[in-house]
Amino acid sequence: MKILKKKKSLVRSTKKTWSGRFDEPVSKLVQRYTASVEFDRRLAEYDIQGSFAHAQMLSATGIISAKDLVVIGKGLHQIQDEIQSGKFKWSLELEDVHLNIEKRLIDLVGDAGKRLHTARSRNDQIATDVRLYLRASIDNIISLIKNMQKAILELAEKHVDTVMPGFTHMQVAQPVSFGHHLMAYFEMLKRDVERLIDCRKRVNKLPLGAAALAGTSYPINRKMVAQKLGFEDICKNSLDAVSDRDFAIEFCACAALTMTHLSRLSEELILWMSPSFGFIKLNDRFCTGSSIMPQKKNPDVPELARGKTGRINGHLISLLTLIKAQPLAYNKDNQEDKEALFDTVDTLSETLRIYADIFNDIFINKDAMRDAAKCGYSTATDFADYLTKRKLPFRDAHEVVAKAVRYAEKKGCDLSMLTLHELQRFSPLVEQDIYSILTLDGSIKSRNQTGGTAPSQVRKAIKQAKKYIYLK
Ligand code: ARG
């Protein structure tokens, strides 16, 4: 008896809302392990929205009285205020956001509060909350991406005629307009927005009414709830509605792609900022120094964005793994979807916010870009094309130019610095007009097809992009 007593005091325990059929309350440890209120309380606003819409429907269908609805509405309103002002007392013992709010409602309004959970389960309730949260998050992320696109557009517009080396295999390949390079990211982000818009359609379906898993025997009106909460439609199968999280996985996949794009951009900024490139300077507020090397200015923000991409990719895998072996319908495993999802939303949103700021305030060293484009024989392809247009088969022209490059390399100069006489030693087809071809601006200007780097094409692309971003 003594031993038993001691055990009980070690494993402290508490009574639960649902503990009617339990002999023994859960231990503190299990309580901590199973509770989600620490993180799901961020869903409170959506939980209240969902509850109010549910109550409105219960009243409209005569399941609860109009008087109950008024009282519930007032109670929920007060709870919303308490949460917003930080006065609400969250309790771990009440497990999650739903039970915390419901308990407070019952304390405030009594029996009407106890009737709110009629024809509903936490299983369809949580699925609804997450969808409402994610829908709002998607809308916010889309506007953040668009802000970043605007910043990119502004910068691209200033640098249509700025020449930089374009790379393949990280070797100088052909000169490109810096504006063109920036617009590549605009395109990636545009697809990211398209993906999110598409994903939002599948997020925007109402699970409520599925109840625990099998639907409900009450004469509910799901369409009414959907309409009140702004859902496009209702989930068509109750088992699916409470158990699947594919909409969240899809969002995480979209987010992983956007972060991947930002990570590539980060990698470029890090390279461009290194003194060996010297193409750009980031404002001091985006960098930090070294504790040992006084000369250092480190690109912490892009490095972290690149690093955080790993985390976002990890969240995608977490959610896929979370679902993969779950039998239908709801399982508590699903509680584990939240932290990954929330962190994905937070990390992506913050990264986008910082990047728009970076692009609004970045220093571009045009001369360093141009100088780098002059190295590495970036106009060699133009030379080959010149010969091809004079009827030398392209493969032969390639060979001729390769030899000329080797010669120039030995001399330690650029192709454009070779005399006409020297160039003619490689092919008699070369004439004085070759020099306009071998210049960086000549090379860029010649790539004048849709999607190419010619400044006139880049200007056109920017104009179209502006229409899309400002008018759509
Ligand atoms: N906290 C739970 C979750 O996040 C809510 C649903 C719990 N349902 C249940 N029957 N235990 O998924």
Side-chain angles (χ1 to χ4, degrees), residues 36 40 95-96 98 121-123 126 245 330 332 334-335 337-338:
S36 53
D40 69 13
E95 209 175 314
D96 57 25
H98 322 296
S121 150
R122 275 188 293 158
N123 298 351
I126 186 62
R245 294 292 182 266
Y330 177 85
K332 188 80 167 182
N334 280 351
Q335 183 162 293
D337 63 354
K338 281 160 213 64

Side-chain angles (χ1 to χ4, degrees), residues 13-193:
S13 48
T14 40
K15 195 170 171 294
K16 291 277 192 181
T17 318
W18 37 254
S19 60
R21 78 176 291 280
F22 287 72
D23 288 336
E24 175 183 49
V26 292
S27 75
K28 280 276 175 196
L29 180 61
V30 171
Q31 186 166 80
R32 249 201 335 267
Y33 194 73
T34 53
S36 53
V37 65
E38 300 277 11
F39 50 86
D40 69 13
R41 53 197 262 191
R42 89 147 73 181
L43 296 173
E45 131 187 33
Y46 305 105
D47 198 67
I48 290 172
Q49 267 175 36
S51 285
F52 189 57
H54 180 67
Q56 283 177 303
M57 179 279 290
L58 290 180
S59 160
T61 50
I63 300 170
I64 63 169
S65 70
K67 217 172 117 210
D68 278 346
L69 172 63
V70 174
V71 176
I72 288 173
K74 276 193 187 146
L76 288 174
H77 199 81
Q78 178 171 339
I79 293 172
Q80 174 90 309
D81 285 348
E82 287 175 1
I83 292 173
Q84 267 168 6
S85 62
K87 283 191 194 124
F88 191 87
K89 285 206 175 51
W90 294 100
S91 148
L92 192 79
E93 284 161 28
L94 290 167
E95 209 175 314
D96 57 25
V97 60
H98 322 296
L99 296 180
N100 268 271
I101 291 176
E102 190 181 322
K103 168 76 171 36
R104 179 68 185 139
L105 185 67
I106 294 168
D107 287 349
L108 286 172
V109 307
D111 281 357
K114 290 185 188 163
R115 289 192 192 102
L116 173 63
H117 209 56
T118 313
R120 180 175 82 166
S121 150
R122 275 188 293 158
N123 298 351
D124 56 348
Q125 191 178 351
I126 186 62
T128 305
D129 292 3
V130 174
R131 283 172 185 264
L132 286 171
Y133 159 81
L134 193 51
R135 187 180 70 190
S137 303
I138 287 176
D139 291 344
N140 189 44
I141 287 170
I142 288 177
S143 83
L144 289 173
I145 296 181
K146 288 196 167 169
N147 278 347
M148 179 167 174
Q149 284 180 301
K150 284 178 191 167
I152 288 178
L153 266 179
E154 295 263 309
L155 191 65
E157 205 166 27
K158 285 187 203 139
H159 291 283
V160 173
D161 297 301
T162 302
V163 180
M164 70 177 284
F167 298 90
T168 58
H169 314 275
M170 211 45 225
Q171 306 292 315
V172 171
Q174 289 168 355
V176 293
S177 142
F178 180 51
H180 191 54
H181 193 108
L182 288 170
M183 288 303 288
Y185 285 101
F186 182 94
E187 288 296 313
M188 292 177 227
L189 293 171
K190 188 174 169 207
R191 290 193 296 278
D192 291 333
V193 169

Side-chain angles (χ1 to χ4, degrees), residues 4-5 15-16 59 62 76 83 94 108 179 268 326 367 389 438 442 456 471:
L4 204 78
K5 253 193 182 164
K15 195 170 171 294
K16 291 277 192 181
S59 160
L76 288 174
I83 292 173
L94 290 167
L108 286 172
E268 298 209 303
Q326 281 193 49
D367 294 338
K389 282 171 195 157
L438 293 181
S456 58
L471 301 177

